[in-house]
Amino acid sequence: MNVRIEVVAIDCLMVRLFDVIDEANMPWMLAASLRLREGFGAHLIDLVPSYTTLMVHYDLLALDPQQARAVIAAALRHLSPDAGEGGRQHVLPVWYDASVGPELALLSRRSGLSVDEVIQRHSQREYQVFALGFAPGFAFMGLVEDVLAAPRIKTPRKRVAAGSVGIAERQTAAYPLESPGGWNILGRTPAKLFDRTLDGYSLMQPGDTVRFAPVSHAEFIRLGGDDTPLEALK
């Protein structure tokens, strides 16, 4: 770990801990996040974790930039991950089907796996939530197996249904709201990913882990899922 502090704004500093995305980073990121929250206390306005960085937005009326840097340095001194520390575990039901997952066949051809094998490979792995972004409640997760990695589609869709589960490169995610998007869509979850009643409005937070559980169409509908075909959303 090579800690560097970069200026983002007059009242905002970026703490860079790593240079490469890796699931092994997360225990260190969680420990650093906790230390920084404790260090800044009431002077912290916001702390935004990402794959390799933590953005610290602090109260400029309480701390000047030099003092903020000193707080960061003290907070990260002798940093070590807590083996018992971790986020919540989530199991998201997913209906994997070509009508709501039009790239299932594409990933099958690219990988040389059958569609059933693609589903099995995607759902048997536990994914780390690295960051939230793009849309409220959109959790960037990874890492998918190399065999399932796929670039974003060449022409992004204007409308991707809420709950759509997809892959981009070695990341996977589920769209919390209907929005444009260019990820390879494999299926759809009925889970409510964006909820104003939740702390942070998101079902998932960085540090959480997620597993996708295949369900039948009947179970998907029973859980409140919308089976409108993706290609019908134009």
Side-chain angles (χ1 to χ4, degrees), residues 138-219:
F138 191 102
F140 291 88
M141 297 175 264
L143 296 166
V144 301
E145 294 182 76
D146 282 323
V147 71
L148 296 182
R152 288 170 171 80
I153 60 177
K154 291 182 179 179
T155 304
R157 294 181 172 90
K158 294 180 180 179
R159 297 175 67 186
V160 177
S164 294
V165 174
I167 288 175
E169 303 300 341
R170 289 198 65 198
Q171 296 183 95
T172 187
Y175 285 71
L177 306 167
E178 182 182 299
S179 67
W183 290 47
N184 298 274
I185 306 302
L186 312 182
R188 192 175 298 172
T189 179
K192 190 173 184 180
L193 306 173
F194 173 68
D195 188 340
R196 296 180 188 276
T197 67
L198 297 174
D199 183 25
Y201 303 147
S202 176
L203 175 65
M204 295 171 286
Q205 295 293 329
D208 289 357
T209 55
V210 177
R211 187 174 63 79
F212 298 104
V215 296
S216 66
H217 178 252
E219 180 66 5

Side-chain angles (χ1 to χ4, degrees), residues 9-12 40 42-45 57-68:
I10 191 171
D11 58 353
C12 196
F40 279 90
H43 303 324
L44 183 69
I45 295 175
H57 183 195
Y58 61 93
D59 185 353
L60 193 60
L61 298 178
L63 299 171
D64 64 32
Q66 196 63 29
Q67 290 172 317

